[in-house]
Amino acid sequence: MNPLFKILKEKSKEILIINFFVFVPMWIIFLVNNYLLGNWLNNWGINPRNFSVAGFISIFSSWMLHANFSHIVGNSTVLFPLLMMICMLEKKPAWHLIALIFISGLFTWMLGMPNTMHVGASGLIFALFGYILASLFIGKNYLYLVPVLVIGYFYFQSLLQGFIPQKDISFSAHFGGFIGGFLIGSVIHRQEKKPKH
């Protein structure tokens, strides 16, 4: 059996669960928020250094909120292959995903400009990308090399533009997510390399 199909078969349940966890709430919230609530839920996006209960909740939840249809479609298109890579090549992808959601939200909350609102999954996307690069270069998981080249080929320009400050685009989410994801990946893979006594 082809190694790729073997991994897909072994990981199929995990892949379904994680994609369900990410995409079902993200799209349901988008549809309800945009078509029934007039984007009211976007007030629960990340407001940097807001120390209220809502401010802390937004660190975990803002990735599910999107401004419009093109925003959520664009993020979903990039998010799906990155999640597939994590699901197929990591032993505990669900725990890694939770850590990346938290760290990308936290870094956006810390680095964002005051009196701004940050919504969308792009911070998580850049956190996943940072994690994957740490897995490749620090964890020496060379199975990531081919998918990184494929993702890089199709999304290089979008990823590069994400690191350039632009109006109405959250540079702090992109940069903070990437740095946070790389740090999480570095810590996890250094721990895995430590000899077990």
Side-chain angles (χ1 to χ4, degrees):
M1 183 185 281
N2 185 306
L4 179 62
F5 289 116
K6 188 179 178 184
I7 294 171
L8 275 170
K9 186 178 178 182
E10 290 171 357
K11 296 271 197 167
S12 58
K13 186 177 178 182
E14 209 161 27
I15 290 168
L16 283 171
I17 290 169
I18 286 175
N19 279 283
F20 183 89
F21 169 77
V22 170
F23 290 108
V24 170
M26 195 167 91
W27 275 90
I28 287 174
I29 287 170
F30 170 76
L31 293 170
V32 169
N33 188 34
N34 278 255
Y35 298 109
L36 296 178
L37 301 178
N39 275 335
W40 176 80
L41 287 177
N42 285 358
N43 295 319
W44 286 72
I46 292 175
N47 183 357
R49 292 168 302 286
N50 176 351
F51 288 92
S52 69
V53 172
F56 288 118
I57 289 172
S58 70
I59 289 171
F60 292 94
S61 62
S62 67
W63 65 273
M64 292 185 280
L65 304 170
H66 288 82
N68 52 49
F69 187 71
S70 63
H71 188 202
I72 193 169
V73 169
N75 280 345
S76 297
T77 305
V78 185
L79 192 54
F80 180 72
L82 294 173
L83 282 176
M84 288 294 289
M85 275 194 265
I86 294 286
C87 287
M88 291 174 68
L89 298 176
E90 296 295 334
K91 292 175 184 174
K92 298 177 180 177
W95 289 111
H96 297 345
L97 179 61
I98 291 166
L100 292 169
I101 286 171
F102 171 70
I103 201 75
S104 61
L106 180 65
F107 273 50
T108 304
W109 183 85
M110 291 192 304
L111 298 174
M113 295 291 288
N115 302 314
T116 56
M117 194 65 71
H118 303 259
V119 297
S122 58
L124 175 58
I125 287 168
F126 278 83
L128 283 161
F129 190 63
Y131 178 88
I132 286 165
L133 289 182
S135 300
L136 178 60
F137 294 112
I138 292 171
K140 309 294 184 189
N141 187 345
Y142 297 115
L143 291 172
Y144 275 115
L145 186 58
V146 171
V148 161
L149 291 174
V150 171
I151 294 290
Y153 177 78
F154 287 106
Y155 298 110
F156 177 75
Q157 190 170 358
S158 298
L159 291 166
L160 189 63
Q161 283 180 340
F163 288 116
I164 300 169
Q166 301 167 66
K167 187 183 177 185
D168 297 326
I169 293 175
S170 179
F171 170 75
S172 56
H174 296 176
F175 180 74
F178 179 80
I179 296 300
F182 195 88
L183 287 173
I184 290 280
S186 302
V187 169
I188 287 172
H189 292 297
R190 286 199 172 107
Q191 289 293 326
E192 287 175 351
K193 280 183 174 180
K194 282 185 180 178
K196 294 178 175 64
H197 301 290

